[in-house]
Amino acid sequence: MALLTPTESSNTRTFSDFNGGLANLLIPVTHVIFDLDGTLIDTESCYKDAANAVTMRLMNKEFTWKNKSDLMKTNLRKNSALIVEKFGLPLSPQKFYNEVMSEFAKLIKNVPFMPGAEKIVKYFHRQRIPLALCTASANESFQVKISHFGDFFSPGKYFDVIVIAGNNSEIKRNKPAPDPYLFTMSKFANPPLKSENVLVFEDSVDGVNSAIAAGAQCVMVPDTRVDNENATSKATLVLKSLEQFDPKLFSLPSFSLGVNKSANIITVLLSMFISIALFKV
């Protein structure tokens, strides 16, 4: 699918691609899945600042956004050994990971939602669109991240499904493999008719690759502080912020309209068609 990016004029923001008519390219959405880090909450700056606190204390070396992009990427635990090696740190990868997470726990208490995150989650919930959260984090890290957001991330509050892929024994491969998103799709009470009817919101290279490999459509909101250029060509739509998202592009009601009473009915009917088709086979 062609890369679709927002373009801005002096008065309006429009969407276009070289085929013209963006709405004709995008497939109607019945289910939505959100990534967590960098998509709904601004944890990426916390990871960078936490690592910087450790490298400055030990070696008086700054941990930059380029280091975050090139070395840490989206998985601190997995890439701790690489960071220790590149910075010549006098401690083991596990010790480095523990110290960074200790600093992270202090910083996360003040982490904000990403711009537009609360509004868009509540919009999908109000429209009765089945909603899921799929994070590559491990459970311990996930609990730390959501601890000061009250019940926003409590199961059933807004999200019908919450998948914590980092230490889920049923998920063999984490992002960028498709496994986390395929697993999440299967956990909906009424699974999507096709994976392309699922809309994923992501911010990272690994996340976009995972969603696209799972067959979903993917809206990417890249962090401008991190080099994500290699992933934008695979995303269905690229936005500067969740605040730019226009539901009508995916055949969804606008933000200003009321509850989409047909959403649940459509989802149930699609699931019934799947069951009938499988039965006939």
Side-chain angles (χ1 to χ4, degrees), residues 34-47 65 68 73-74 104 108 111-115 117 133-135 137 145 149 153 175 201-204 219-226 228 239-242:
F34 281 96
D35 168 55
L36 179 67
D37 294 288
T39 301
L40 291 180
I41 59 177
D42 188 17
T43 49
E44 297 306 314
S45 58
C46 290
Y47 276 117
W65 278 109
K68 171 71 173 67
K73 301 181 181 180
T74 59
F104 181 87
I108 198 67
V111 70
F113 280 109
M114 297 298 291
L133 182 69
C134 177
T135 175
S137 299
K145 293 170 187 176
F149 288 98
F153 293 103
K175 302 174 185 179
F201 287 84
E202 269 284 358
D203 72 303
S204 70
V219 172
M220 185 183 191
V221 186
D223 190 330
T224 57
R225 301 166 297 189
V226 178
N228 279 322
L239 304 177
K240 293 180 180 178
S241 165
L242 290 174

mmCIF file of all heavy atoms in Angstrom, residues 34-47 65 68 73-74 104 108 111-115 117 133-135 137 145 149 153 175 201-204 219-226 228 239-242:
data_model
loop_
_atom_site.group_PDB
_atom_site.id
_atom_site.type_symbol
_atom_site.label_atom_id
_atom_site.label_comp_id
_atom_site.label_asym_id
_atom_site.label_seq_id
_atom_site.Cartn_x
_atom_site.Cartn_y
_atom_site.Cartn_z
ATOM 1 N N PHE A 34 -4.012 -0.542 20.037
ATOM 2 C CA PHE A 34 -3.008 0.477 20.324
ATOM 3 C C PHE A 34 -1.749 -0.147 20.914
ATOM 4 O O PHE A 34 -1.823 -1.034 21.765
ATOM 5 C CB PHE A 34 -3.538 1.491 21.349
ATOM 6 C CG PHE A 34 -4.467 2.521 20.789
ATOM 7 C CD1 PHE A 34 -5.842 2.342 20.866
ATOM 8 C CD2 PHE A 34 -3.979 3.671 20.192
ATOM 9 C CE1 PHE A 34 -6.715 3.284 20.359
ATOM 10 C CE2 PHE A 34 -4.841 4.630 19.682
ATOM 11 C CZ PHE A 34 -6.214 4.437 19.764
ATOM 12 N N ASP A 35 -0.607 0.343 20.468
ATOM 13 C CA ASP A 35 0.650 0.144 21.180
ATOM 14 C C ASP A 35 0.619 1.077 22.390
ATOM 15 O O ASP A 35 -0.197 2.005 22.451
ATOM 16 C CB ASP A 35 1.808 0.494 20.241
ATOM 17 C CG ASP A 35 3.136 0.608 20.961
ATOM 18 O OD1 ASP A 35 3.524 -0.356 21.639
ATOM 19 O OD2 ASP A 35 3.772 1.676 20.855
ATOM 20 N N LEU A 36 1.503 0.854 23.354
ATOM 21 C CA LEU A 36 1.528 1.698 24.556
ATOM 22 C C LEU A 36 2.648 2.737 24.515
ATOM 23 O O LEU A 36 2.398 3.935 24.436
ATOM 24 C CB LEU A 36 1.679 0.830 25.806
ATOM 25 C CG LEU A 36 1.747 1.591 27.138
ATOM 26 C CD1 LEU A 36 0.408 2.266 27.439
ATOM 27 C CD2 LEU A 36 2.147 0.652 28.275
ATOM 28 N N ASP A 37 3.900 2.265 24.560
ATOM 29 C CA ASP A 37 5.051 3.162 24.694
ATOM 30 C C ASP A 37 5.233 4.055 23.475
ATOM 31 O O ASP A 37 5.388 3.563 22.349
ATOM 32 C CB ASP A 37 6.329 2.342 24.897
ATOM 33 C CG ASP A 37 6.329 1.599 26.217
ATOM 34 O OD1 ASP A 37 6.473 2.257 27.252
ATOM 35 O OD2 ASP A 37 6.170 0.360 26.205
ATOM 36 N N GLY A 38 5.205 5.360 23.696
ATOM 37 C CA GLY A 38 5.420 6.298 22.608
ATOM 38 C C GLY A 38 4.196 6.527 21.751
ATOM 39 O O GLY A 38 4.189 7.430 20.912
ATOM 40 N N THR A 39 3.164 5.711 21.939
ATOM 41 C CA THR A 39 1.928 5.868 21.177
ATOM 42 C C THR A 39 0.840 6.487 22.051
ATOM 43 O O THR A 39 0.227 7.489 21.676
ATOM 44 C CB THR A 39 1.442 4.514 20.630
ATOM 45 O OG1 THR A 39 2.460 3.950 19.792
ATOM 46 C CG2 THR A 39 0.169 4.679 19.809
ATOM 47 N N LEU A 40 0.618 5.901 23.223
ATOM 48 C CA LEU A 40 -0.377 6.441 24.153
ATOM 49 C C LEU A 40 0.261 7.247 25.280
ATOM 50 O O LEU A 40 -0.313 8.238 25.730
ATOM 51 C CB LEU A 40 -1.221 5.306 24.742
ATOM 52 C CG LEU A 40 -2.181 4.605 23.776
ATOM 53 C CD1 LEU A 40 -2.946 3.503 24.506
ATOM 54 C CD2 LEU A 40 -3.163 5.595 23.148
ATOM 55 N N ILE A 41 1.429 6.818 25.755
ATOM 56 C CA ILE A 41 2.110 7.557 26.823
ATOM 57 C C ILE A 41 3.565 7.800 26.431
ATOM 58 O O ILE A 41 4.174 6.995 25.724
ATOM 59 C CB ILE A 41 2.026 6.821 28.184
ATOM 60 C CG1 ILE A 41 2.647 5.427 28.103
ATOM 61 C CG2 ILE A 41 0.578 6.731 28.645
ATOM 62 C CD1 ILE A 41 2.656 4.686 29.441
ATOM 63 N N ASP A 42 4.118 8.914 26.903
ATOM 64 C CA ASP A 42 5.450 9.345 26.462
ATOM 65 C C ASP A 42 6.559 8.705 27.293
ATOM 66 O O ASP A 42 7.322 9.390 27.978
ATOM 67 C CB ASP A 42 5.548 10.872 26.527
ATOM 68 C CG ASP A 42 6.842 11.384 25.906
ATOM 69 O OD1 ASP A 42 7.482 10.624 25.154
ATOM 70 O OD2 ASP A 42 7.216 12.536 26.179
ATOM 71 N N THR A 43 6.657 7.386 27.210
ATOM 72 C CA THR A 43 7.697 6.678 27.960
ATOM 73 C C THR A 43 9.060 6.743 27.284
ATOM 74 O O THR A 43 10.081 6.510 27.934
ATOM 75 C CB THR A 43 7.317 5.198 28.131
ATOM 76 O OG1 THR A 43 6.936 4.674 26.856
ATOM 77 C CG2 THR A 43 6.168 5.042 29.101
ATOM 78 N N GLU A 44 9.092 7.045 25.989
ATOM 79 C CA GLU A 44 10.369 7.028 25.277
ATOM 80 C C GLU A 44 11.354 8.035 25.872
ATOM 81 O O GLU A 44 12.546 7.749 26.001
ATOM 82 C CB GLU A 44 10.145 7.311 23.790
ATOM 83 C CG GLU A 44 9.293 6.263 23.081
ATOM 84 C CD GLU A 44 9.825 4.849 23.258
ATOM 85 O OE1 GLU A 44 11.041 4.636 23.093
ATOM 86 O OE2 GLU A 44 9.025 3.960 23.576
ATOM 87 N N SER A 45 10.869 9.214 26.243
ATOM 88 C CA SER A 45 11.758 10.199 26.856
ATOM 89 C C SER A 45 12.237 9.720 28.223
ATOM 90 O O SER A 45 13.364 10.009 28.637
ATOM 91 C CB SER A 45 11.053 11.552 26.983
ATOM 92 O OG SER A 45 9.877 11.444 27.751
ATOM 93 N N CYS A 46 11.390 8.961 28.927
ATOM 94 C CA CYS A 46 11.789 8.418 30.230
ATOM 95 C C CYS A 46 12.921 7.407 30.081
ATOM 96 O O CYS A 46 13.873 7.401 30.867
ATOM 97 C CB CYS A 46 10.595 7.758 30.921
ATOM 98 S SG CYS A 46 9.340 8.909 31.493
ATOM 99 N N TYR A 47 12.812 6.536 29.087
ATOM 100 C CA TYR A 47 13.876 5.554 28.843
ATOM 101 C C TYR A 47 15.188 6.253 28.509
ATOM 102 O O TYR A 47 16.252 5.896 29.027
ATOM 103 C CB TYR A 47 13.487 4.633 27.684
ATOM 104 C CG TYR A 47 12.614 3.474 28.069
ATOM 105 C CD1 TYR A 47 11.323 3.355 27.555
ATOM 106 C CD2 TYR A 47 13.070 2.486 28.935
ATOM 107 C CE1 TYR A 47 10.511 2.282 27.898
ATOM 108 C CE2 TYR A 47 12.264 1.410 29.281
ATOM 109 C CZ TYR A 47 10.988 1.315 28.757
ATOM 110 O OH TYR A 47 10.190 0.252 29.097
ATOM 111 N N TRP A 65 19.515 11.006 21.926
ATOM 112 C CA TRP A 65 18.389 10.417 21.196
ATOM 113 C C TRP A 65 18.886 9.501 20.083
ATOM 114 O O TRP A 65 18.237 8.510 19.754
ATOM 115 C CB TRP A 65 17.488 11.511 20.626
ATOM 116 C CG TRP A 65 16.526 12.039 21.639
ATOM 117 C CD1 TRP A 65 16.537 13.256 22.249
ATOM 118 C CD2 TRP A 65 15.400 11.332 22.179
ATOM 119 N NE1 TRP A 65 15.500 13.355 23.141
ATOM 120 C CE2 TRP A 65 14.785 12.192 23.112
ATOM 121 C CE3 TRP A 65 14.857 10.069 21.969
ATOM 122 C CZ2 TRP A 65 13.652 11.825 23.833
ATOM 123 C CZ3 TRP A 65 13.728 9.693 22.683
ATOM 124 C CH2 TRP A 65 13.139 10.564 23.605
ATOM 125 N N LYS A 68 19.531 6.320 21.694
ATOM 126 C CA LYS A 68 18.238 5.675 21.952
ATOM 127 C C LYS A 68 17.760 4.957 20.698
ATOM 128 O O LYS A 68 17.284 3.814 20.755
ATOM 129 C CB LYS A 68 17.209 6.730 22.377
ATOM 130 C CG LYS A 68 15.766 6.238 22.469
ATOM 131 C CD LYS A 68 15.557 5.319 23.642
ATOM 132 C CE LYS A 68 14.084 4.962 23.823
ATOM 133 N NZ LYS A 68 13.512 4.149 22.740
ATOM 134 N N LYS A 73 16.852 1.167 20.943
ATOM 135 C CA LYS A 73 15.713 0.900 20.062
ATOM 136 C C LYS A 73 14.441 0.799 20.901
ATOM 137 O O LYS A 73 14.160 1.694 21.683
ATOM 138 C CB LYS A 73 15.978 -0.351 19.226
ATOM 139 C CG LYS A 73 17.242 -0.223 18.373
ATOM 140 C CD LYS A 73 17.500 -1.437 17.524
ATOM 141 C CE LYS A 73 18.772 -1.250 16.714
ATOM 142 N NZ LYS A 73 19.080 -2.422 15.866
ATOM 143 N N THR A 74 13.680 -0.275 20.754
ATOM 144 C CA THR A 74 12.422 -0.393 21.503
ATOM 145 C C THR A 74 12.481 -1.456 22.594
ATOM 146 O O THR A 74 11.462 -1.790 23.188
ATOM 147 C CB THR A 74 11.256 -0.729 20.550
ATOM 148 O OG1 THR A 74 11.545 -1.961 19.871
ATOM 149 C CG2 THR A 74 11.044 0.381 19.534
ATOM 150 N N PHE A 104 14.160 4.856 35.755
ATOM 151 C CA PHE A 104 12.911 4.930 34.990
ATOM 152 C C PHE A 104 11.708 5.011 35.925
ATOM 153 O O PHE A 104 10.765 5.778 35.688
ATOM 154 C CB PHE A 104 12.805 3.701 34.087
ATOM 155 C CG PHE A 104 11.574 3.662 33.228
ATOM 156 C CD1 PHE A 104 11.555 4.272 31.983
ATOM 157 C CD2 PHE A 104 10.427 3.000 33.647
ATOM 158 C CE1 PHE A 104 10.420 4.231 31.177
ATOM 159 C CE2 PHE A 104 9.292 2.952 32.858
ATOM 160 C CZ PHE A 104 9.288 3.569 31.620
ATOM 161 N N ILE A 108 8.878 7.907 35.572
ATOM 162 C CA ILE A 108 7.588 7.523 35.002
ATOM 163 C C ILE A 108 6.415 8.141 35.765
ATOM 164 O O ILE A 108 5.305 8.272 35.233
ATOM 165 C CB ILE A 108 7.450 5.980 34.978
ATOM 166 C CG1 ILE A 108 6.342 5.543 34.010
ATOM 167 C CG2 ILE A 108 7.196 5.431 36.366
ATOM 168 C CD1 ILE A 108 6.633 5.817 32.572
ATOM 169 N N VAL A 111 5.133 10.953 33.727
ATOM 170 C CA VAL A 111 4.969 10.781 32.281
ATOM 171 C C VAL A 111 3.548 11.163 31.861
ATOM 172 O O VAL A 111 2.570 10.792 32.514
ATOM 173 C CB VAL A 111 5.287 9.329 31.851
ATOM 174 C CG1 VAL A 111 4.238 8.351 32.342
ATOM 175 C CG2 VAL A 111 5.420 9.229 30.339
ATOM 176 N N PRO A 112 3.408 11.928 30.780
ATOM 177 C CA PRO A 112 2.071 12.333 30.322
ATOM 178 C C PRO A 112 1.535 11.414 29.224
ATOM 179 O O PRO A 112 2.270 10.607 28.649
ATOM 180 C CB PRO A 112 2.337 13.723 29.746
ATOM 181 C CG PRO A 112 3.716 13.592 29.153
ATOM 182 C CD PRO A 112 4.480 12.656 30.075
ATOM 183 N N PHE A 113 0.248 11.551 28.942
ATOM 184 C CA PHE A 113 -0.310 10.948 27.737
ATOM 185 C C PHE A 113 0.309 11.640 26.526
ATOM 186 O O PHE A 113 0.677 12.819 26.583
ATOM 187 C CB PHE A 113 -1.827 11.158 27.675
ATOM 188 C CG PHE A 113 -2.627 10.206 28.523
ATOM 189 C CD1 PHE A 113 -3.261 10.646 29.672
ATOM 190 C CD2 PHE A 113 -2.772 8.877 28.151
ATOM 191 C CE1 PHE A 113 -4.013 9.784 30.447
ATOM 192 C CE2 PHE A 113 -3.523 8.002 28.919
ATOM 193 C CZ PHE A 113 -4.146 8.447 30.072
ATOM 194 N N MET A 114 0.401 10.923 25.429
ATOM 195 C CA MET A 114 0.776 11.562 24.173
ATOM 196 C C MET A 114 -0.381 12.462 23.732
ATOM 197 O O MET A 114 -1.547 12.196 24.056
ATOM 198 C CB MET A 114 1.064 10.507 23.101
ATOM 199 C CG MET A 114 2.242 9.600 23.419
ATOM 200 S SD MET A 114 3.822 10.477 23.553
ATOM 201 C CE MET A 114 4.110 10.960 21.847
ATOM 202 N N PRO A 115 -0.097 13.539 23.001
ATOM 203 C CA PRO A 115 -1.168 14.443 22.558
ATOM 204 C C PRO A 115 -2.266 13.693 21.805
ATOM 205 O O PRO A 115 -1.987 12.949 20.866
ATOM 206 C CB PRO A 115 -0.430 15.422 21.638
ATOM 207 C CG PRO A 115 0.974 15.430 22.149
ATOM 208 C CD PRO A 115 1.241 14.021 22.588
ATOM 209 N N ALA A 117 -4.113 11.257 22.874
ATOM 210 C CA ALA A 117 -4.283 9.843 23.230
ATOM 211 C C ALA A 117 -5.587 9.580 23.979
ATOM 212 O O ALA A 117 -6.341 8.661 23.630
ATOM 213 C CB ALA A 117 -3.093 9.366 24.058
ATOM 214 N N LEU A 133 -5.140 -3.280 23.644
ATOM 215 C CA LEU A 133 -3.810 -2.723 23.890
ATOM 216 C C LEU A 133 -2.816 -3.861 23.719
ATOM 217 O O LEU A 133 -3.010 -4.951 24.270
ATOM 218 C CB LEU A 133 -3.726 -2.164 25.307
ATOM 219 C CG LEU A 133 -2.413 -1.492 25.722
ATOM 220 C CD1 LEU A 133 -2.237 -0.182 24.975
ATOM 221 C CD2 LEU A 133 -2.399 -1.245 27.228
ATOM 222 N N CYS A 134 -1.765 -3.628 22.942
ATOM 223 C CA CYS A 134 -0.749 -4.659 22.712
ATOM 224 C C CYS A 134 0.626 -4.040 22.911
ATOM 225 O O CYS A 134 1.083 -3.237 22.096
ATOM 226 C CB CYS A 134 -0.881 -5.234 21.302
ATOM 227 S SG CYS A 134 0.379 -6.458 20.879
ATOM 228 N N THR A 135 1.283 -4.397 24.006
ATOM 229 C CA THR A 135 2.593 -3.843 24.317
ATOM 230 C C THR A 135 3.658 -4.930 24.297
ATOM 231 O O THR A 135 3.409 -6.073 24.693
ATOM 232 C CB THR A 135 2.590 -3.150 25.691
ATOM 233 O OG1 THR A 135 3.917 -2.727 26.014
ATOM 234 C CG2 THR A 135 2.092 -4.080 26.789
ATOM 235 N N SER A 137 6.170 -4.824 26.148
ATOM 236 C CA SER A 137 6.755 -4.815 27.489
ATOM 237 C C SER A 137 6.506 -6.123 28.231
ATOM 238 O O SER A 137 5.589 -6.880 27.897
ATOM 239 C CB SER A 137 6.157 -3.673 28.314
ATOM 240 O OG SER A 137 6.412 -2.423 27.733
ATOM 241 N N LYS A 145 4.613 1.414 34.352
ATOM 242 C CA LYS A 145 4.258 2.475 33.408
ATOM 243 C C LYS A 145 2.843 3.002 33.607
ATOM 244 O O LYS A 145 2.586 4.194 33.440
ATOM 245 C CB LYS A 145 4.418 1.964 31.973
ATOM 246 C CG LYS A 145 5.850 1.670 31.580
ATOM 247 C CD LYS A 145 5.907 0.936 30.251
ATOM 248 C CE LYS A 145 7.323 0.486 29.937
ATOM 249 N NZ LYS A 145 7.399 -0.319 28.700
ATOM 250 N N PHE A 149 -1.856 6.281 36.182
ATOM 251 C CA PHE A 149 -2.946 6.684 35.289
ATOM 252 C C PHE A 149 -4.316 6.250 35.812
ATOM 253 O O PHE A 149 -5.288 6.205 35.058
ATOM 254 C CB PHE A 149 -2.717 6.113 33.882
ATOM 255 C CG PHE A 149 -1.605 6.789 33.131
ATOM 256 C CD1 PHE A 149 -0.338 6.226 33.088
ATOM 257 C CD2 PHE A 149 -1.817 7.999 32.492
ATOM 258 C CE1 PHE A 149 0.697 6.849 32.403
ATOM 259 C CE2 PHE A 149 -0.787 8.637 31.805
ATOM 260 C CZ PHE A 149 0.474 8.060 31.761
ATOM 261 N N PHE A 153 -6.109 2.199 32.291
ATOM 262 C CA PHE A 153 -5.653 0.976 31.627
ATOM 263 C C PHE A 153 -6.163 -0.292 32.315
ATOM 264 O O PHE A 153 -5.663 -1.386 32.033
ATOM 265 C CB PHE A 153 -4.124 0.960 31.552
ATOM 266 C CG PHE A 153 -3.553 2.018 30.642
ATOM 267 C CD1 PHE A 153 -2.976 3.167 31.169
ATOM 268 C CD2 PHE A 153 -3.613 1.873 29.267
ATOM 269 C CE1 PHE A 153 -2.453 4.154 30.330
ATOM 270 C CE2 PHE A 153 -3.096 2.852 28.419
ATOM 271 C CZ PHE A 153 -2.522 3.997 28.955
ATOM 272 N N LYS A 175 7.451 -8.220 18.917
ATOM 273 C CA LYS A 175 7.611 -7.287 17.807
ATOM 274 C C LYS A 175 9.100 -7.204 17.454
ATOM 275 O O LYS A 175 9.928 -7.227 18.354
ATOM 276 C CB LYS A 175 7.106 -5.891 18.198
ATOM 277 C CG LYS A 175 5.640 -5.847 18.632
ATOM 278 C CD LYS A 175 5.260 -4.456 19.134
ATOM 279 C CE LYS A 175 3.850 -4.428 19.689
ATOM 280 N NZ LYS A 175 3.462 -3.088 20.195
ATOM 281 N N PHE A 201 -2.353 1.367 15.927
ATOM 282 C CA PHE A 201 -1.650 2.636 16.112
ATOM 283 C C PHE A 201 -0.285 2.337 16.717
ATOM 284 O O PHE A 201 -0.195 1.708 17.773
ATOM 285 C CB PHE A 201 -2.443 3.568 17.032
ATOM 286 C CG PHE A 201 -3.672 4.150 16.393
ATOM 287 C CD1 PHE A 201 -4.868 3.436 16.383
ATOM 288 C CD2 PHE A 201 -3.641 5.401 15.792
ATOM 289 C CE1 PHE A 201 -6.010 3.959 15.793
ATOM 290 C CE2 PHE A 201 -4.775 5.935 15.198
ATOM 291 C CZ PHE A 201 -5.966 5.212 15.193
ATOM 292 N N GLU A 202 0.772 2.786 16.056
ATOM 293 C CA GLU A 202 2.143 2.504 16.473
ATOM 294 C C GLU A 202 3.026 3.736 16.312
ATOM 295 O O GLU A 202 2.676 4.680 15.595
ATOM 296 C CB GLU A 202 2.728 1.366 15.631
ATOM 297 C CG GLU A 202 2.520 -0.025 16.209
ATOM 298 C CD GLU A 202 3.456 -0.328 17.371
ATOM 299 O OE1 GLU A 202 4.299 0.539 17.702
ATOM 300 O OE2 GLU A 202 3.361 -1.426 17.944
ATOM 301 N N ASP A 203 4.189 3.695 16.973
ATOM 302 C CA ASP A 203 5.143 4.795 16.830
ATOM 303 C C ASP A 203 6.513 4.332 16.368
ATOM 304 O O ASP A 203 7.325 5.143 15.931
ATOM 305 C CB ASP A 203 5.305 5.525 18.171
ATOM 306 C CG ASP A 203 6.089 4.699 19.183
ATOM 307 O OD1 ASP A 203 5.672 3.564 19.470
ATOM 308 O OD2 ASP A 203 7.126 5.185 19.681
ATOM 309 N N SER A 204 6.802 3.034 16.459
ATOM 310 C CA SER A 204 8.166 2.556 16.233
ATOM 311 C C SER A 204 8.306 1.712 14.976
ATOM 312 O O SER A 204 7.325 1.203 14.422
ATOM 313 C CB SER A 204 8.627 1.722 17.432
ATOM 314 O OG SER A 204 7.925 0.486 17.470
ATOM 315 N N VAL A 219 -1.556 2.960 11.463
ATOM 316 C CA VAL A 219 -1.314 4.397 11.541
ATOM 317 C C VAL A 219 -0.052 4.596 12.367
ATOM 318 O O VAL A 219 0.018 4.151 13.514
ATOM 319 C CB VAL A 219 -2.491 5.139 12.199
ATOM 320 C CG1 VAL A 219 -2.130 6.609 12.436
ATOM 321 C CG2 VAL A 219 -3.738 5.037 11.334
ATOM 322 N N MET A 220 0.938 5.229 11.780
ATOM 323 C CA MET A 220 2.189 5.473 12.489
ATOM 324 C C MET A 220 2.273 6.929 12.923
ATOM 325 O O MET A 220 2.021 7.840 12.129
ATOM 326 C CB MET A 220 3.391 5.139 11.605
ATOM 327 C CG MET A 220 4.720 5.267 12.335
ATOM 328 S SD MET A 220 6.136 4.956 11.256
ATOM 329 C CE MET A 220 7.456 4.856 12.470
ATOM 330 N N VAL A 221 2.613 7.125 14.188
ATOM 331 C CA VAL A 221 2.876 8.461 14.714
ATOM 332 C C VAL A 221 4.323 8.449 15.196
ATOM 333 O O VAL A 221 4.599 8.207 16.372
ATOM 334 C CB VAL A 221 1.918 8.821 15.863
ATOM 335 C CG1 VAL A 221 2.118 10.274 16.284
ATOM 336 C CG2 VAL A 221 0.471 8.587 15.454
ATOM 337 N N PRO A 222 5.275 8.658 14.285
ATOM 338 C CA PRO A 222 6.687 8.509 14.640
ATOM 339 C C PRO A 222 7.168 9.595 15.587
ATOM 340 O O PRO A 222 6.720 10.740 15.528
ATOM 341 C CB PRO A 222 7.401 8.603 13.287
ATOM 342 C CG PRO A 222 6.473 9.401 12.429
ATOM 343 C CD PRO A 222 5.092 9.035 12.873
ATOM 344 N N ASP A 223 8.067 9.210 16.465
ATOM 345 C CA ASP A 223 8.711 10.166 17.362
ATOM 346 C C ASP A 223 9.775 10.900 16.559
ATOM 347 O O ASP A 223 10.723 10.286 16.073
ATOM 348 C CB ASP A 223 9.342 9.412 18.537
ATOM 349 C CG ASP A 223 9.815 10.343 19.647
ATOM 350 O OD1 ASP A 223 10.196 11.495 19.341
ATOM 351 O OD2 ASP A 223 9.799 9.924 20.815
ATOM 352 N N THR A 224 9.626 12.194 16.413
ATOM 353 C CA THR A 224 10.562 12.971 15.596
ATOM 354 C C THR A 224 11.962 13.015 16.199
ATOM 355 O O THR A 224 12.920 13.368 15.517
ATOM 356 C CB THR A 224 10.050 14.411 15.411
ATOM 357 O OG1 THR A 224 9.846 15.016 16.698
ATOM 358 C CG2 THR A 224 8.733 14.415 14.651
ATOM 359 N N ARG A 225 12.075 12.639 17.478
ATOM 360 C CA ARG A 225 13.388 12.628 18.129
ATOM 361 C C ARG A 225 14.170 11.367 17.787
ATOM 362 O O ARG A 225 15.365 11.274 18.065
ATOM 363 C CB ARG A 225 13.212 12.729 19.646
ATOM 364 C CG ARG A 225 12.485 13.984 20.095
ATOM 365 C CD ARG A 225 12.026 13.888 21.534
ATOM 366 N NE ARG A 225 11.051 12.826 21.731
ATOM 367 C CZ ARG A 225 10.369 12.639 22.864
ATOM 368 N NH1 ARG A 225 10.559 13.453 23.881
ATOM 369 N NH2 ARG A 225 9.507 11.642 22.971
ATOM 370 N N VAL A 226 13.478 10.384 17.197
ATOM 371 C CA VAL A 226 14.088 9.096 16.875
ATOM 372 C C VAL A 226 13.983 8.865 15.376
ATOM 373 O O VAL A 226 12.994 9.232 14.743
ATOM 374 C CB VAL A 226 13.376 7.951 17.633
ATOM 375 C CG1 VAL A 226 13.965 6.601 17.257
ATOM 376 C CG2 VAL A 226 13.480 8.181 19.138
ATOM 377 N N ASN A 228 12.911 7.124 12.508
ATOM 378 C CA ASN A 228 11.948 6.086 12.134
ATOM 379 C C ASN A 228 11.687 6.065 10.633
ATOM 380 O O ASN A 228 10.717 5.477 10.172
ATOM 381 C CB ASN A 228 10.616 6.312 12.858
ATOM 382 C CG ASN A 228 10.648 5.784 14.279
ATOM 383 O OD1 ASN A 228 11.226 4.746 14.546
ATOM 384 N ND2 ASN A 228 10.040 6.523 15.189
ATOM 385 N N LEU A 239 1.104 10.107 10.650
ATOM 386 C CA LEU A 239 0.629 11.351 11.242
ATOM 387 C C LEU A 239 1.706 11.951 12.133
ATOM 388 O O LEU A 239 2.566 11.241 12.647
ATOM 389 C CB LEU A 239 -0.625 11.097 12.087
ATOM 390 C CG LEU A 239 -1.818 10.426 11.407
ATOM 391 C CD1 LEU A 239 -2.925 10.185 12.430
ATOM 392 C CD2 LEU A 239 -2.334 11.267 10.254
ATOM 393 N N LYS A 240 1.626 13.244 12.332
ATOM 394 C CA LYS A 240 2.537 13.898 13.262
ATOM 395 C C LYS A 240 2.064 13.736 14.700
ATOM 396 O O LYS A 240 2.853 13.826 15.637
ATOM 397 C CB LYS A 240 2.654 15.386 12.921
ATOM 398 C CG LYS A 240 3.324 15.667 11.588
ATOM 399 C CD LYS A 240 3.394 17.163 11.324
ATOM 400 C CE LYS A 240 4.068 17.450 9.986
ATOM 401 N NZ LYS A 240 4.110 18.910 9.692
ATOM 402 N N SER A 241 0.764 13.512 14.871
ATOM 403 C CA SER A 241 0.173 13.396 16.199
ATOM 404 C C SER A 241 -1.149 12.652 16.086
ATOM 405 O O SER A 241 -1.804 12.676 15.032
ATOM 406 C CB SER A 241 -0.062 14.792 16.791
ATOM 407 O OG SER A 241 -0.941 14.736 17.906
ATOM 408 N N LEU A 242 -1.562 12.000 17.162
ATOM 409 C CA LEU A 242 -2.881 11.367 17.194
ATOM 410 C C LEU A 242 -3.988 12.400 17.012
ATOM 411 O O LEU A 242 -5.097 12.064 16.592
ATOM 412 C CB LEU A 242 -3.081 10.630 18.520
ATOM 413 C CG LEU A 242 -2.237 9.369 18.739
ATOM 414 C CD1 LEU A 242 -2.439 8.846 20.160
ATOM 415 C CD2 LEU A 242 -2.591 8.296 17.718
#
